[in-house]
């Protein structure tokens, strides 16, 4: 019970809900799924976009949203979409995502948003012109401001953009803030650029654009037991959604986040060519950890790629290399 800080504060200060909300805002963010659910008696400012990854560029949009909300005495919120519009327009063209819907909601809560509206972009919605979308926004009783990125698009064939957004609301007394493109070390920050870096195994470069290490949440599932039974390294096998961005096959220095604690670890992603594997798996050996975590959800934090996946002549040769990988991972993670 006392592991839950929100419950503890509730016990100590049952009448002071404002304290709980200030200390733990992520526990109180509202989730909406339709226009009709948006507040009608409260003023709000909307940040708009798909926000995949909630990277440094998105953080700027959310910062402008909070600033504008404070200026007009309103609450900050987010209008986003789920699933990705391409999943509706071209189901066979899969866009690998940096976050699940739950992870995106967590990021919005941590950014201080009071609510997040997840609109489902069906074909009818995606075929509407940009003016129809703007008219819907304009009709919202509590709308008191908008924020978006410079490259935000909306409406049929993405014909609507941030310039049209500002022009539409210019004489309607609804302020619009537009965040310019963010750059880090000479690179424009975008979800597409981050996906490419991760798929190339460039985790440090991806972290620079994200503003944090890339993480992957999932459940620990039973694998082939090779780690424990053959190699002597018990591993946690992570399940993952098909639509997630995955790092390039190889061995990585990682952190495993379990029950609020962060453990150094080493992770192999690939098909285990030494054992003639056919299925892509993610197997993590957690240092100094021997608890049973099967069936538990945990988060894997990717730090740095150590080497590519290699076919070894024997399990013994692989085990010897794993020892070297662990030593290198420990040195990398000591600095993080």
């Amino acid at each position: 019970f006392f592991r839950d800080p929100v419950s503890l504060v509730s016990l100590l200060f049952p009448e002071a809900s404002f304290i709980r909300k200030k200390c733990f805002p992520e526990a109180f963010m509202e989730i909406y799924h339709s226009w009709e659910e948006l507040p009608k008696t409260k003023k709000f400012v909307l940040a708009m976009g798909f926000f995949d990854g909630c990277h440094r560029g998105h953080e700027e949009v959310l910062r402008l949203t909070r600033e504008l909300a404070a200026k007009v005495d309103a609450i900050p919120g987010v209008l986003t979409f789920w699933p990705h519009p391409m999943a509706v327009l071209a189901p066979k063209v899969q866009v690998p995502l940096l976050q699940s819907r739950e992870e995106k909601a967590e990021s919005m809560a941590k950014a201080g948003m009071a609510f997040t509206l997840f609109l489902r972009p069906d074909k009818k919605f995606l075929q509407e012109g940009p003016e129809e979308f703007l008219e819907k926004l304009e009709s919202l009783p509590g709308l008191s401001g908008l924020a978006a990125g410079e490259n935000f698009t909306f409406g049929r064939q993405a014909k609507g953009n941030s310039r049209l957004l500002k022009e539409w609301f210019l004489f309607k007394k609804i302020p619009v803030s537009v965040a310019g493109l963010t750059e880090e070390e000479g690179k424009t920050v975008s979800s597409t650029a981050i996906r490419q870096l991760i798929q190339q195994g460039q985790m440090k470069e991806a972290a620079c654009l994200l503003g944090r290490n890339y993480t992957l949440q999932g459940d620990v599932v039973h694998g082939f037991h090779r780690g424990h039974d053959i190699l002597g390294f018990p591993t946690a096998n992570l399940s993952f959604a098909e639509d997630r961005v995955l790092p390039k096959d190889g061995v990585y220095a990682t952190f495993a986040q379990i029950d609020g604690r962060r453990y150094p670890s080493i992770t192999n992603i690939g098909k285990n060519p030494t054992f003639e594997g056919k299925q892509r798996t993610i197997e993590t050996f957690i240092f100094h950890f021997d608890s049973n975590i099967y069936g538990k959800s945990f988060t894997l934090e990717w730090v740095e790629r150590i080497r590519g996946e290699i076919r070894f002549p024997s399990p013994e040769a692989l085990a010897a290399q794993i020892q070297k990988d662990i030593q290198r991972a420990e040195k990398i993670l000591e600095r993080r």
Side-chain angles (χ1 to χ4, degrees):
F1 175 78
F2 293 105
R3 288 184 179 180
D4 178 4
V6 177
S7 298
L8 179 58
V9 174
S10 298
L11 178 65
L12 298 176
F13 307 99
E15 74 290 350
S17 61
F18 71 94
I19 294 178
R20 301 196 302 273
K21 290 186 179 182
K22 186 172 182 179
C23 294
F24 310 105
E26 64 272 17
F28 293 89
M29 188 184 74
E30 300 286 349
I31 300 291
Y32 303 136
H33 298 94
S34 69
W35 296 100
E36 292 71 26
E37 295 177 67
L38 287 171
K40 296 178 176 60
T41 58
K42 292 182 180 179
K43 295 167 59 179
F44 57 83
V45 173
L46 283 178
M48 297 191 297
F50 190 73
F51 296 107
D52 187 31
C54 291
H55 54 60
R56 290 187 184 276
H58 298 144
E59 288 173 359
E60 178 63 12
V61 176
L62 298 174
R63 184 188 67 80
L64 291 176
T65 304
R66 292 193 303 270
E67 286 186 356
L68 184 53
K71 185 177 181 180
V72 300
D73 192 25
I75 59 174
V78 176
L79 188 161
T80 189
F81 308 93
W82 197 270
H84 193 285
M86 284 300 295
V88 179
L89 294 173
K92 293 183 179 179
V93 180
Q94 190 175 80
V95 177
L97 300 178
L98 296 166
Q99 287 183 312
S100 65
R101 184 171 64 175
E102 291 73 23
E103 289 170 307
K104 185 189 294 191
E106 288 177 15
S107 294
M108 296 304 176
K110 289 177 181 177
M113 299 295 105
F115 65 85
T116 296
L117 166 60
F118 285 98
L119 282 181
R120 184 173 183 84
D122 57 24
K123 288 186 177 181
K124 180 179 180 298
F125 175 80
L126 294 172
Q127 289 170 356
E128 293 176 350
E131 293 79 10
E132 293 176 81
F133 178 73
L134 293 171
E135 288 171 354
K136 173 60 74 174
L137 282 174
E138 185 183 348
S139 70
L140 298 174
L143 184 67
S144 301
L146 294 164
E150 181 181 325
N151 57 354
F152 174 63
T153 60
F154 56 93
R156 184 174 56 249
Q157 298 179 346
K159 289 184 177 180
N161 53 36
S162 57
R163 180 180 57 80
L164 176 60
L165 188 69
K166 293 196 74 168
E167 291 175 353
W168 183 275
F169 287 100
L170 182 61
F171 300 106
K172 296 180 172 62
K173 297 183 179 180
I174 296 179
V176 176
S177 294
V178 176
L181 297 178
T182 301
E183 290 198 358
E184 289 291 335
E185 297 185 359
K187 295 182 179 179
T188 300
V189 178
S190 71
S191 298
T192 299
I194 294 168
R195 293 182 193 118
Q196 292 173 346
L197 288 170
I198 292 171
Q199 290 170 332
Q200 294 165 3
Q202 300 182 54
M203 308 313 294
K204 291 191 294 183
E205 293 81 359
C208 181
L209 303 191
L210 268 173
R212 63 188 184 282
N213 291 325
Y214 179 58
T215 57
L216 192 64
Q217 291 183 357
D219 296 322
V220 178
V221 297
H222 288 278
F224 297 102
H225 301 284
R226 295 180 185 126
H228 184 275
D229 298 344
I230 300 176
L231 302 175
F233 298 97
T235 58
N237 293 269
L238 180 68
S239 66
F240 53 89
E242 292 183 359
D243 63 353
R244 288 302 300 271
V245 177
L246 295 179
K248 184 178 181 179
D249 288 356
V251 178
Y252 293 79
T254 55
F255 283 106
Q257 301 175 18
I258 306 168
D259 291 336
R261 295 190 62 182
R262 193 170 181 243
Y263 298 89
S265 58
I266 190 168
T267 297
N268 182 86
I269 178 170
K271 296 184 178 180
N272 298 289
T274 302
F275 298 99
E276 303 292 341
K278 303 297 182 184
Q279 180 180 344
R280 199 178 193 198
T281 60
I282 299 177
E283 299 179 66
T284 298
F285 173 63
I286 307 170
F287 308 160
H288 319 301
F289 186 87
D290 59 2
S291 298
N292 183 0
I293 56 174
Y294 279 116
K296 290 187 178 181
S297 178
F298 84 110
T299 300
L300 192 59
E301 185 180 337
W302 304 78
V303 177
E304 186 175 329
R305 191 169 190 257
I306 295 175
R307 63 172 174 83
E309 196 173 42
I310 304 169
R311 182 191 297 273
F312 289 88
S314 67
E316 292 76 18
L318 173 56
Q321 180 61 50
I322 292 175
Q323 286 284 9
K324 295 178 183 178
D325 295 338
I326 290 173
Q327 292 174 4
R328 184 173 175 189
E330 287 179 327
K331 290 181 180 179
I332 291 170
L333 299 175
E334 282 175 359
R335 305 192 298 266
R336 305 304 173 95

